[in-house]
Amino acid sequence: MAPPRKHNIILIGFMGTGKSSVGRELGKRLQRRHLDTDAIIEEMAGMRIPDIFASRGEEAFRDLETEAARRVSQCGGCVVSTGGGIMGRDENVELLRQGGVLICLTARPEVILARTAPWEGRPMLKTAPNPKAAIETLLAERNPRYALADWTLDSSDLTKHQVVNKICAVLPSLYRTIATRS
């Protein structure tokens, strides 16, 4: 069963779990356009995410994130990579869910730490005195929101190609699941 072209495949999860690299590869494999909410935010703001945090603050960034969720929810048949905190607002969850299937990529904290270093482009880690502890705290806060995904995959010990293969294998059953949501 081929995935319906009208539904987006939306990758959610913590930073460093592979959402962007997997999203690009999945888009190529499925011949779908790849969108990245962080890139959309940077385009809207005219600056990089660390600069948004520094000059406008986290709340302004989260507002831009909601607008990015709104924009991608209006697209159809795309692969969407999201920022790690996008699921923090109920409005974003609803916008993303209405647009398609939510797949959460996870990884162990030590894997995330290794994948995200150095933390210059990671505002949530850059100022933390103990980045691993910050990761563990943020994961504990965000995991209930990530649990809203239609399917979850731990990417810790997988290559991006292995992750893409696993996603492609499960897509038919995920589309049957979300068909019952509508």
Side-chain angles (χ1 to χ4, degrees):
M1 174 185 196
R5 297 295 297 180
K6 67 179 181 170
H7 295 296
N8 290 326
I9 300 165
I10 302 159
L11 303 177
I12 65 167
F14 202 74
M15 67 180 96
T17 57
K19 300 178 305 289
S20 294
S21 62
V22 167
R24 284 188 298 274
E25 188 64 29
L26 186 60
K28 287 179 196 170
R29 173 87 59 91
L30 297 176
Q31 298 179 345
R32 289 180 176 221
R33 183 174 168 207
H34 174 251
L35 301 173
D36 189 305
T37 59
D38 284 349
I40 292 168
I41 290 165
E42 288 180 341
E43 184 179 315
M44 285 188 297
M47 64 179 77
R48 295 179 56 244
I49 289 172
D51 298 329
I52 298 168
F53 270 79
S55 67
R56 299 184 189 174
E58 184 177 355
E59 191 62 27
F61 171 78
R62 298 298 173 199
D63 291 341
L64 289 166
E65 197 170 50
T66 297
E67 179 57 29
R70 184 173 291 106
R71 288 182 184 193
V72 300
S73 73
Q74 295 169 358
C75 298
C78 295
V79 173
V80 180
S81 300
T82 64
I86 201 165
M87 296 290 285
R89 288 185 176 176
D90 291 338
E91 180 181 6
N92 296 353
V93 174
E94 291 307 312
L95 287 165
L96 295 173
R97 284 184 81 83
Q98 76 186 11
V101 60
L102 298 179
I103 297 173
C104 182
L105 299 182
T106 65
R108 295 183 305 274
E110 60 273 11
V111 172
I112 291 169
L113 185 68
R115 288 179 180 172
T116 57
W119 305 291
E120 288 305 309
R122 309 287 182 165
M124 303 300 283
L125 297 180
K126 182 179 177 184
T127 58
N130 181 339
K132 186 171 186 241
I135 289 168
E136 290 167 345
T137 300
L138 283 169
L139 277 171
E141 291 171 6
R142 293 178 179 179
N143 277 338
R145 306 298 282 191
Y146 295 151
L148 299 172
D150 298 299
W151 188 65
T152 300
L153 175 64
D154 186 335
S155 68
S156 295
D157 300 314
L158 302 172
T159 67
K160 73 177 171 185
H161 296 289
Q162 289 170 320
V163 172
V164 168
N165 289 341
K166 289 181 180 291
I167 291 171
C168 288
V170 77
L171 276 176
S173 64
L174 290 176
Y175 280 112
R176 284 192 294 275
T177 299
I178 67 165
T180 62
R181 264 197 338 231
S182 303

